[in-house]
Amino acid sequence: METTQFENRAYTPQISKDHSDMVRRIAWFLDKPMTKTLEHIILIVSALIEPSKICLSCKDNSDCKTCVFCSLLSEKDIEVILKAFNIRRQKR
């Protein structure tokens, strides 16, 4: 079967102009493209949430073995990401 150019693309939700402007300004600050900036933002938010809480809320348990939250970044990786963006993790 032949693959189309869209088969490997992820679903991309539309965001408001205000939120798009925010991402653009953060991208300028980071000197990165908006797509990479959005990836960084997602990593930061992911690092701030306990993976077990995400797993408990998950509605798709079809492939937990490959889920990024089941094998999330190590604590050291999380600290590096947060430090790079000068974010302090709140004590739980």
Side-chain angles (χ1 to χ4, degrees):
M1 178 185 283
E2 196 174 315
T3 59
T4 67
Q5 69 184 42
F6 297 108
E7 282 186 37
N8 291 325
R9 292 183 72 182
Y11 165 69
T12 308
Q14 300 249 334
I15 60 174
S16 71
K17 181 181 180 327
D18 288 345
H19 289 105
S20 177
D21 290 347
M22 290 171 72
V23 173
R24 182 177 302 106
R25 285 171 174 82
I26 295 169
W28 289 335
F29 168 75
L30 296 174
D31 195 26
K32 302 247 183 246
M34 285 178 64
T35 52
K36 290 294 178 192
T37 299
L38 200 49
E39 289 174 3
H40 287 305
I41 291 168
I42 292 167
L43 281 174
I44 291 167
V45 172
S46 298
L48 296 173
I49 301 171
E50 288 181 46
S52 60
K53 291 184 179 180
I54 293 190
C55 290
L56 288 172
S57 302
C58 184
K59 295 178 182 176
D60 177 14
N61 61 0
S62 64
D63 207 4
C64 294
K65 290 180 183 175
T66 60
C67 174
V68 67
F69 292 104
C70 290
S71 60
L72 195 63
L73 305 167
S74 69
E75 284 296 313
K76 183 178 177 183
D77 291 335
I78 291 169
E79 293 304 320
V80 168
I81 291 168
L82 295 177
K83 187 176 180 181
F85 289 92
N86 200 24
I87 297 173
R88 291 166 105 179
R89 198 175 192 174
Q90 292 182 349
K91 301 287 181 197
R92 298 188 207 293

